[in-house]
Amino acid sequence: MTSNDIYKKVLQAISEERGLKALHQRYQLKDAIMRMGPAGFAFENYIASILEYYDYRVTGIRSKIHGKCATHEIDLIGSKDDREFLIECKYHSLRGAYVGLKESLYTHARFLDLQPKFSGEVVFCNTKISNHAKKYAKCVGQQIFSWRYPATNSLEKIIEKHNLYPITILNLSQNELGIFSECNLMIAKDLLRYDEAKIARMTGISKKRIKNLQKLVEGIFYPK
Amino acid sequence: MTSNDIYKKVLQAISEERGLKALHQRYQLKDAIMRMGPAGFAFENYIASILEYYDYRVTGIRSKIHGKCATHEIDLIGSKDDREFLIECKYHSLRGAYVGLKESLYTHARFLDLQPKFSGEVVFCNTKISNHAKKYAKCVGQQIFSWRYPATNSLEKIIEKHNLYPITILNLSQNELGIFSECNLMIAKDLLRYDEAKIARMTGISKKRIKNLQKLVEGIFYPK
């Protein structure tokens, strides 16, 4: 049985048993995010899209900003209510990787070097985070959204709350993933925002393929 | 021709042509430090020994110190004239690796979290360092000793000035390297500090082998 077959069976199970839906999708979600790798660009674009669902305006992706002592490349700049946030995205494409104290430390040093430009510092990561990093981040006022942490507002909870599953839950080729990422179409249900002709024009992917992907998205999120 | 043969020829050339000595040893030095890897322990022990030649007292190796927001493992603590320095050793066992801005940033964040315990922060590394890191370090007052930088006080200059070449310029086995590292015998010429019987007792290595190593050290540093 190929992984494609398994995937189909999972989708079938999801639509047959509504109660299992959350469990299956969460299982899928970690893998789906891993499929964005190995570079972090797609993950950064994905987090930018999530932030917009949470009423943040993303005013910069991979921007170079001059600080007191260095020029920093900031993954994302998000603003809300006239406050600007420095946002770092830590992406690992291998299971078992951890974000540790060092990442939390250098993000904070970056934030300090850029004072008073930002009113807050935020780290998003797709892996777990070490206890040392959690403790340090809390103490210096750095917000962290990682896998399973914080309990009520972890990355997967943020995604689940508004069904912001990434397009990588679909069976995309690496080439298609690259195209969708460049077009900032990183959230699966965003494929339903436009008709297939418009997305085909945006992406250069055939209308037929887009229509199939849209049906898949409908089957997952709006099953009859 | 094995690398052992090449090594012998280099040694021969060194003793025949005094003018080539510095050049050959510097060429050897980078490789010799690379042979300390892949873990950084031997390099940390080596830097500790170098510091003692520069009249620093090393009061801690891999010590855990509580800061305001986190507990940090500090590679070395060096003190001189009642001032204590936080010392980080960045070791890479592969050529072409760079120490970049992130390492410099997290070392500084560590230093800030441990204020006012240390009066200075120092980074030693066996590789080159990025221009961003140099600029940032200078600006925040972090001292860096790396390969070829700073020009008048780079790691190789520090080593050359007092002939503090590591024992890895000798043809040691991994096992012997581990033993010497544990005994804090990381500097080649320190093998001449004691007679062969004493070093054989300290290390469990045969007197004959120690005597041979001592002859090699004499041949390199005190050629007749």
Short mmCIF file of all heavy atoms in Angstrom, two decimals, chain B residues 90-122:
data_model
loop_
_atom_site.label_atom_id
_atom_site.label_comp_id
_atom_site.label_asym_id
_atom_site.label_seq_id
_atom_site.Cartn_x
_atom_site.Cartn_y
_atom_site.Cartn_z
N LYS B 90 33.68 28.16 20.72
CA LYS B 90 32.89 27.63 19.58
C LYS B 90 33.82 26.77 18.75
O LYS B 90 34.80 27.26 18.19
CB LYS B 90 32.39 28.78 18.70
CG LYS B 90 31.58 29.81 19.42
CD LYS B 90 30.19 29.28 19.69
CE LYS B 90 29.58 29.99 20.88
NZ LYS B 90 29.13 29.06 21.92
N TYR B 91 33.51 25.51 18.70
CA TYR B 91 34.38 24.58 18.02
C TYR B 91 33.69 23.93 16.83
O TYR B 91 32.56 23.45 16.95
CB TYR B 91 34.83 23.49 19.00
CG TYR B 91 35.72 22.48 18.33
CD1 TYR B 91 37.03 22.81 18.04
CD2 TYR B 91 35.24 21.25 17.95
CE1 TYR B 91 37.85 21.91 17.39
CE2 TYR B 91 36.05 20.34 17.30
CZ TYR B 91 37.36 20.69 17.03
OH TYR B 91 38.17 19.79 16.37
N HIS B 92 34.35 23.92 15.69
CA HIS B 92 33.85 23.18 14.53
C HIS B 92 34.93 22.23 14.05
O HIS B 92 36.08 22.64 13.91
CB HIS B 92 33.49 24.13 13.39
CG HIS B 92 32.27 24.94 13.67
ND1 HIS B 92 31.00 24.43 13.56
CD2 HIS B 92 32.12 26.21 14.08
CE1 HIS B 92 30.12 25.35 13.88
NE2 HIS B 92 30.77 26.45 14.20
N SER B 93 34.56 21.01 13.79
CA SER B 93 35.56 20.04 13.33
C SER B 93 35.56 19.92 11.81
O SER B 93 36.22 19.07 11.26
CB SER B 93 35.31 18.68 13.98
OG SER B 93 34.05 18.20 13.58
N LEU B 94 34.80 20.78 11.14
CA LEU B 94 34.80 20.76 9.68
C LEU B 94 35.32 22.09 9.14
O LEU B 94 34.96 23.16 9.65
CB LEU B 94 33.38 20.53 9.14
CG LEU B 94 32.80 19.16 9.43
CD1 LEU B 94 31.35 19.11 9.01
CD2 LEU B 94 33.59 18.07 8.74
N ARG B 95 36.16 22.03 8.13
CA ARG B 95 36.66 23.23 7.49
C ARG B 95 35.51 24.00 6.85
O ARG B 95 34.53 23.41 6.41
CB ARG B 95 37.66 22.87 6.38
CG ARG B 95 39.03 22.52 6.91
CD ARG B 95 39.94 22.12 5.77
NE ARG B 95 41.28 21.96 6.29
CZ ARG B 95 42.12 22.97 6.46
NH1 ARG B 95 41.79 24.18 6.12
NH2 ARG B 95 43.32 22.75 6.96
N GLY B 96 35.67 25.30 6.78
CA GLY B 96 34.69 26.10 6.06
C GLY B 96 33.52 26.54 6.93
O GLY B 96 32.73 27.38 6.54
N ALA B 97 33.42 25.99 8.17
CA ALA B 97 32.35 26.43 9.07
C ALA B 97 32.67 27.84 9.54
O ALA B 97 33.83 28.23 9.65
CB ALA B 97 32.24 25.48 10.25
N TYR B 98 31.64 28.59 9.79
CA TYR B 98 31.76 29.98 10.21
C TYR B 98 31.09 30.17 11.56
O TYR B 98 30.10 29.52 11.83
CB TYR B 98 30.98 30.85 9.21
CG TYR B 98 31.85 31.71 8.35
CD1 TYR B 98 32.63 31.15 7.35
CD2 TYR B 98 31.89 33.09 8.54
CE1 TYR B 98 33.42 31.94 6.55
CE2 TYR B 98 32.70 33.88 7.74
CZ TYR B 98 33.46 33.31 6.75
OH TYR B 98 34.24 34.10 5.97
N VAL B 99 31.61 31.07 12.37
CA VAL B 99 30.82 31.51 13.51
C VAL B 99 30.10 32.78 13.06
O VAL B 99 30.71 33.67 12.49
CB VAL B 99 31.70 31.76 14.75
CG1 VAL B 99 30.95 32.56 15.80
CG2 VAL B 99 32.11 30.42 15.34
N GLY B 100 28.80 32.81 13.26
CA GLY B 100 28.01 33.91 12.73
C GLY B 100 27.40 34.77 13.81
O GLY B 100 27.70 34.62 15.00
N LEU B 101 26.55 35.68 13.36
CA LEU B 101 25.93 36.65 14.26
C LEU B 101 25.14 35.98 15.38
O LEU B 101 25.17 36.45 16.52
CB LEU B 101 25.03 37.57 13.42
CG LEU B 101 24.31 38.70 14.17
CD1 LEU B 101 25.29 39.61 14.90
CD2 LEU B 101 23.47 39.53 13.20
N LYS B 102 24.46 34.87 15.07
CA LYS B 102 23.61 34.23 16.09
C LYS B 102 24.41 33.83 17.32
O LYS B 102 23.97 34.04 18.45
CB LYS B 102 22.91 32.99 15.51
CG LYS B 102 21.76 33.36 14.60
CD LYS B 102 21.08 32.14 14.03
CE LYS B 102 19.95 32.58 13.09
NZ LYS B 102 19.32 31.44 12.42
N GLU B 103 25.60 33.26 17.12
CA GLU B 103 26.45 32.84 18.24
C GLU B 103 26.86 34.04 19.09
O GLU B 103 26.89 33.99 20.31
CB GLU B 103 27.70 32.11 17.75
CG GLU B 103 27.47 30.68 17.32
CD GLU B 103 27.03 30.54 15.87
OE1 GLU B 103 26.70 31.56 15.24
OE2 GLU B 103 27.02 29.39 15.38
N SER B 104 27.18 35.12 18.39
CA SER B 104 27.59 36.33 19.09
C SER B 104 26.41 36.91 19.88
O SER B 104 26.56 37.34 21.03
CB SER B 104 28.11 37.33 18.05
OG SER B 104 28.76 38.39 18.67
N LEU B 105 25.23 36.87 19.27
CA LEU B 105 24.01 37.39 19.92
C LEU B 105 23.67 36.58 21.17
O LEU B 105 23.40 37.14 22.23
CB LEU B 105 22.82 37.31 18.96
CG LEU B 105 22.70 38.38 17.85
CD1 LEU B 105 21.71 37.92 16.79
CD2 LEU B 105 22.27 39.72 18.42
N TYR B 106 23.69 35.25 21.06
CA TYR B 106 23.24 34.50 22.25
C TYR B 106 24.26 34.54 23.36
O TYR B 106 23.89 34.49 24.54
CB TYR B 106 22.72 33.10 21.90
CG TYR B 106 23.72 32.00 21.71
CD1 TYR B 106 24.47 31.50 22.75
CD2 TYR B 106 23.87 31.41 20.46
CE1 TYR B 106 25.36 30.47 22.56
CE2 TYR B 106 24.76 30.38 20.26
CZ TYR B 106 25.50 29.91 21.31
OH TYR B 106 26.38 28.89 21.12
N THR B 107 25.54 34.68 22.99
CA THR B 107 26.55 34.86 24.04
C THR B 107 26.30 36.17 24.80
O THR B 107 26.39 36.21 26.02
CB THR B 107 27.96 34.86 23.42
OG1 THR B 107 28.17 33.61 22.75
CG2 THR B 107 29.04 35.04 24.48
N HIS B 108 25.95 37.20 24.05
CA HIS B 108 25.70 38.49 24.70
C HIS B 108 24.45 38.41 25.59
O HIS B 108 24.44 38.93 26.71
CB HIS B 108 25.57 39.59 23.65
CG HIS B 108 25.46 40.96 24.26
ND1 HIS B 108 26.41 41.46 25.13
CD2 HIS B 108 24.52 41.93 24.15
CE1 HIS B 108 26.06 42.68 25.52
NE2 HIS B 108 24.92 42.99 24.95
N ALA B 109 23.38 37.75 25.09
CA ALA B 109 22.16 37.60 25.89
C ALA B 109 22.46 36.84 27.18
O ALA B 109 21.93 37.16 28.25
CB ALA B 109 21.08 36.88 25.08
N ARG B 110 23.32 35.85 27.09
CA ARG B 110 23.76 35.07 28.24
C ARG B 110 24.49 35.98 29.25
O ARG B 110 24.21 35.94 30.44
CB ARG B 110 24.73 34.01 27.71
CG ARG B 110 24.84 32.80 28.49
CD ARG B 110 25.41 31.68 27.63
NE ARG B 110 24.43 30.64 27.45
CZ ARG B 110 24.67 29.51 26.79
NH1 ARG B 110 25.84 29.29 26.23
NH2 ARG B 110 23.73 28.60 26.71
N PHE B 111 25.42 36.76 28.70
CA PHE B 111 26.17 37.71 29.53
C PHE B 111 25.21 38.66 30.25
O PHE B 111 25.33 38.89 31.46
CB PHE B 111 27.14 38.48 28.63
CG PHE B 111 27.85 39.61 29.29
CD1 PHE B 111 28.88 39.39 30.19
CD2 PHE B 111 27.51 40.93 28.99
CE1 PHE B 111 29.55 40.45 30.80
CE2 PHE B 111 28.17 41.99 29.60
CZ PHE B 111 29.19 41.75 30.50
N LEU B 112 24.22 39.18 29.52
CA LEU B 112 23.26 40.12 30.12
C LEU B 112 22.44 39.44 31.21
O LEU B 112 22.18 40.01 32.26
CB LEU B 112 22.31 40.68 29.05
CG LEU B 112 22.93 41.59 27.99
CD1 LEU B 112 21.88 42.00 26.95
CD2 LEU B 112 23.57 42.83 28.62
N ASP B 113 22.05 38.18 30.96
CA ASP B 113 21.23 37.46 31.94
C ASP B 113 22.02 37.18 33.21
O ASP B 113 21.45 36.97 34.27
CB ASP B 113 20.71 36.16 31.33
CG ASP B 113 19.59 35.54 32.17
OD1 ASP B 113 18.68 36.28 32.56
OD2 ASP B 113 19.64 34.33 32.44
N LEU B 114 23.35 37.16 33.10
CA LEU B 114 24.20 36.84 34.25
C LEU B 114 24.77 38.08 34.93
O LEU B 114 25.56 37.99 35.87
CB LEU B 114 25.35 35.91 33.81
CG LEU B 114 24.92 34.50 33.40
CD1 LEU B 114 26.02 33.81 32.61
CD2 LEU B 114 24.53 33.67 34.62
N GLN B 115 24.37 39.26 34.44
CA GLN B 115 24.83 40.50 35.07
C GLN B 115 24.41 40.53 36.53
O GLN B 115 23.32 40.05 36.84
CB GLN B 115 24.21 41.73 34.36
CG GLN B 115 24.83 42.03 33.01
CD GLN B 115 26.19 42.70 33.13
OE1 GLN B 115 26.97 42.38 34.03
NE2 GLN B 115 26.47 43.60 32.21
N PRO B 116 25.22 41.10 37.46
CA PRO B 116 26.53 41.71 37.24
C PRO B 116 27.70 40.76 37.53
O PRO B 116 28.79 41.23 37.85
CB PRO B 116 26.51 42.84 38.26
CG PRO B 116 25.79 42.23 39.43
CD PRO B 116 24.80 41.24 38.86
N LYS B 117 27.49 39.45 37.39
CA LYS B 117 28.54 38.51 37.80
C LYS B 117 29.85 38.68 37.03
O LYS B 117 30.94 38.61 37.60
CB LYS B 117 28.04 37.07 37.64
CG LYS B 117 29.06 36.02 38.03
CD LYS B 117 28.45 34.64 38.17
CE LYS B 117 29.51 33.57 38.41
NZ LYS B 117 30.42 33.84 39.51
N PHE B 118 29.74 38.87 35.71
CA PHE B 118 30.95 38.92 34.88
C PHE B 118 31.26 40.34 34.44
O PHE B 118 30.36 41.12 34.13
CB PHE B 118 30.78 38.02 33.66
CG PHE B 118 30.66 36.57 34.00
CD1 PHE B 118 29.44 35.92 33.95
CD2 PHE B 118 31.78 35.86 34.42
CE1 PHE B 118 29.33 34.59 34.29
CE2 PHE B 118 31.68 34.52 34.77
CZ PHE B 118 30.45 33.88 34.70
N SER B 119 32.55 40.66 34.38
CA SER B 119 32.90 42.00 33.91
C SER B 119 33.26 42.00 32.43
O SER B 119 33.57 43.05 31.88
CB SER B 119 34.02 42.59 34.76
OG SER B 119 35.06 41.68 34.91
N GLY B 120 33.20 40.86 31.80
CA GLY B 120 33.46 40.82 30.36
C GLY B 120 33.04 39.50 29.75
O GLY B 120 32.87 38.50 30.44
N GLU B 121 32.83 39.52 28.43
CA GLU B 121 32.43 38.32 27.69
C GLU B 121 33.42 38.10 26.55
O GLU B 121 33.83 39.05 25.88
CB GLU B 121 31.00 38.45 27.14
CG GLU B 121 30.79 39.74 26.37
CD GLU B 121 29.36 39.94 25.84
OE1 GLU B 121 28.86 39.05 25.15
OE2 GLU B 121 28.79 41.01 26.12
N VAL B 122 33.83 36.84 26.38
CA VAL B 122 34.87 36.51 25.42
C VAL B 122 34.45 35.28 24.61
O VAL B 122 33.87 34.35 25.17
CB VAL B 122 36.20 36.17 26.15
CG1 VAL B 122 37.33 35.97 25.15
CG2 VAL B 122 36.55 37.26 27.16
#
